[in-house]
Amino acid sequence: MNITVIGTGYVGLVTGACFSKMGNKVYCVDIDESKIEGLKKGILPIFEPHLATMVKNGQEKGDLIFTTQIKEALYETDIIFIAVGTPMASDGSANLDYIFSAATDIAENISHDSLVVIKSTVPIGTGFKVKEHIERILQDNNSNVKIDIASNPEFLKEGRAIEDCMHPDRVVIGAEKDEIFDILKDLYSSFVLNHDRFVLMDIKSSEMTKYVANAMLATKISFMNEIANICEVTGANVQQVRLGIGSDRRIGYDFIYAGCGYGGSCFPKDVQALINTAQNAGYEPMILSNVEKVNAKQKKVLVNKVVDRFGSDLNGRTFGIWGLSFKPGTDDVREATSQVVITSLIDKGAKIKAYDPEAINEFKKAIDDKYLDSIEFVDNRYSAADECDGLILITEWKEFRNPDFELLGNKLNEKVIFDGRNIYDKKIIKKGFELFQIGC
């Protein structure tokens, strides 16, 4: 098939690369000329394992084309995917400016009947509004072109997005016509050869499914973090509690790890957007509202532990930071706990030595410039411990899981570790370390 993907952000780039891998001819369109020129040279705007190789191979075969010229990309297209960003607006709703800008570009440049598929995460009812928007412009331009609309939300996990795209556990399709389901099932058939993983529904339900999936996962995280805090004040151990409840098949082990809060581009904005949607419809979502409150509080747990150990005046103190990205396997620092921890410690007078295998450059862009003079970024994990008063683990990259504790102990001024992801065994206490964890 000939496919056009509008937007070369995280979703659009991964989706386009994977479609091209399956033999489709894919045009990836973006208005950012510098980004497109970089992609043509193999310079990716994001870090995602295996994506650079896939992009390079797709371009070499001529199956993956990057362009700013949407008219060229739409000329022979069979399916148009909208995969632009929907950032959080000031009121917590999803900002749909990029969605409708893409819809306008489609309407003004399409020359034949087409299927428009919204892959971006959008509020319930957006698909129909986009269709009306395109049809209104086509009518104003006296065009006879007809378009159909569908919803096909993405369920990519940063750090393993290629695997999720190539081997999806489900493909959700929202449409109003059987023939639309057939077209998209044909496109995805090569991704689900071993068994049928299609989940077919109406457009509004498809749009809602994406929000509910992220809200449910965020709820599990905040629930377990609240349980961890209760464990801590009552003397229970959340790690043991996790094993006790995870063995129940109705609960399972996924997303019930206690930690220092979730971040990223999806969970925070999607939970807020769903809250906003519910409130606009006259319903107050009490659980979801508190999911966000618990998470905001959880991001400060490590700071509170540092203050409990060293006092509120941290002048003259330096702390090593392991991990800046919101999760391992990505350079994404949006809504990352590291930003809260580092700025809070600096505000209390501390200096920081920070290490992350991928996210340092993105962190420098994201953090307020006034904090940069108080942060030394280093190029290996052990340098982040040099002459520091304590080590704070925020992101559980694999290289942090089994470090040389003897070397760490020699580098640190005080053998103190704040383990924000509960990855260390308490046996290290026998090595002379003070270990502070979440709910343990």
Side-chain angles (χ1 to χ4, degrees):
M1 290 187 179
N2 293 324
I3 297 169
T4 298
V5 179
I6 300 177
T8 59
Y10 198 90
V11 175
L13 189 53
V14 170
T15 299
C18 289
F19 280 149
S20 71
K21 176 73 173 179
M22 291 303 190
N24 300 288
K25 185 173 184 178
V26 181
Y27 280 86
C28 285
V29 185
D30 203 292
I31 61 174
D32 188 333
E33 293 184 6
S34 62
K35 182 189 288 188
I36 291 297
E37 288 305 310
L39 285 165
K40 288 178 179 179
K41 299 173 184 176
I43 303 171
L44 273 61
I46 59 172
F47 170 76
E48 178 63 34
H50 314 300
L51 181 58
T53 300
M54 188 174 287
V55 167
K56 178 183 177 183
N57 292 342
Q59 289 192 89
E60 289 176 348
K61 293 177 181 178
D63 293 330
L64 185 60
I65 301 163
F66 295 105
T67 182
T68 58
Q69 304 302 311
I70 192 167
K71 194 173 191 70
E72 171 194 6
L74 296 179
Y75 182 66
E76 293 182 334
T77 192
D78 297 306
I79 307 174
I80 306 164
F81 283 89
I82 297 178
V84 296
T86 54
M88 189 191 305
S90 58
D91 64 354
S93 64
N95 184 333
L96 300 179
D97 289 349
Y98 299 123
I99 293 287
F100 284 99
S101 177
T104 299
D105 288 341
I106 292 169
E108 292 179 344
N109 290 280
I110 195 70
S111 59
H112 58 281
D113 295 353
S114 300
L115 170 60
V116 177
V117 182
I118 300 179
K119 186 164 276 292
S120 304
T121 302
V122 295
I124 295 81
T126 300
F128 293 114
K129 294 177 182 178
V130 168
K131 186 173 190 291
E132 291 171 2
H133 181 80
I134 294 174
E135 288 178 337
R136 184 165 55 250
I137 294 174
L138 290 171
Q139 185 177 9
D140 290 344
N141 292 340
N142 296 315
S143 172
N144 294 321
V145 169
K146 299 289 189 294
I147 65 113
D148 284 300
I149 200 81
S151 169
N152 174 221
E154 54 85 18
F155 298 96
L156 306 177
K157 295 183 285 294
E158 293 191 39
R160 52 173 296 172
I162 297 298
E163 181 181 353
D164 288 343
C165 191
M166 298 296 287
H167 307 285
D169 52 15
R170 81 283 207 193
V171 178
V172 174
I173 301 171
E176 304 301 316
K177 299 178 182 178
D178 288 342
E179 53 265 38
I180 303 305
F181 287 124
D182 291 340
I183 291 171
L184 290 173
K185 286 175 71 175
D186 184 40
L187 172 62
Y188 278 105
S189 60
S190 54
F191 294 88
V192 294
L193 289 175
N194 58 347
H195 67 273
D196 189 341
R197 302 181 187 182
F198 295 108
V199 183
L200 309 181
M201 59 186 70
D202 64 88
I203 290 175
K204 286 187 176 182
S205 297
S206 175
E207 292 167 339
M208 175 66 92
T209 296
K210 169 62 177 179
Y211 279 111
V212 173
N214 281 349
M216 183 66 208
L217 295 174
T219 299
K220 291 183 74 173
I221 293 170
S222 280
F223 173 80
M224 208 61 199
N225 282 337
E226 186 150 85
I227 295 301
N229 296 334
I230 296 172
C231 286
E232 194 160 313
V233 297
T234 59
N237 185 309
V238 73
Q239 294 284 61
Q240 296 177 24
V241 172
R242 181 185 68 81
L243 295 174
I245 66 171
S247 56
D248 187 327
R249 286 177 294 178
R250 296 171 299 175
I251 298 173
Y253 291 103
D254 291 339
F255 281 81
I256 60 168
Y257 290 88
C260 51
Y262 63 76
S265 63
C266 293
F267 287 6
K269 78 176 180 66
D270 290 354
V271 170
Q272 282 290 347
L274 189 52
I275 290 171
N276 184 270
T277 295
Q279 290 174 336
N280 287 341
Y283 180 81
E284 188 59 41
M286 292 182 288
I287 291 177
L288 293 178
S289 296
N290 282 290
V291 165
E292 274 294 273
K293 290 177 182 177
V294 169
N295 191 59
K297 186 176 180 180
Q298 198 69 18
K299 289 182 178 182
K300 296 183 178 179
V301 165
L302 287 174
V303 177
N304 295 336
K305 289 181 179 295
V306 171
V307 169
D308 287 345
R309 171 61 175 78
F310 291 101
S312 58
D313 183 358
L314 299 178
N315 280 287
R317 299 284 186 181
T318 301
F319 296 96
I321 300 289
W322 275 4
L324 299 172
S325 58
F326 85 93
K327 63 179 285 188
T330 179
D331 61 353
D332 194 342
V333 300
R334 287 173 288 183
E335 302 291 335
T337 297
S338 61
Q339 294 195 49
V340 175
V341 172
I342 289 174
T343 56
S344 296
L345 293 177
I346 293 173
D347 285 340
K348 295 180 184 300
K351 299 290 186 181
I352 300 295
K353 288 187 179 181
Y355 169 74
D356 187 287
E358 295 293 340
I360 288 177
N361 288 335
E362 292 302 312
F363 188 87
K364 289 178 180 178
K365 297 175 189 175
I367 203 74
D368 193 305
D369 288 345
K370 70 179 182 180
Y371 292 105
L372 289 176
D373 288 342
S374 298
I375 308 172
E376 178 185 351
F377 296 96
V378 297
D379 58 7
N380 74 77
R381 60 190 185 277
Y382 294 113
S383 294
D386 283 337
E387 298 182 355
C388 287
D389 297 294
L391 178 67
I392 304 171
L393 182 136
I394 298 176
T395 315
E396 66 276 29
W397 288 90
K398 288 182 179 178
E399 66 180 86
F400 300 150
R401 293 189 178 185
N402 190 30
D404 184 335
F405 286 107
E406 183 176 351
L407 179 59
L408 273 180
N410 291 332
K411 285 179 170 289
L412 290 166
N413 293 334
E414 299 188 47
K415 297 170 71 172
V416 182
I417 295 179
F418 299 90
D419 178 7
R421 299 298 175 182
N422 289 355
I423 68 172
Y424 295 133
D425 192 298
K426 289 202 171 183
K427 291 177 182 177
I428 70 171
I429 294 175
K430 295 180 180 179
K431 299 177 184 287
F433 282 88
E434 292 181 66
L435 177 65
F436 297 87
Q437 295 182 303
I438 311 293
C440 301

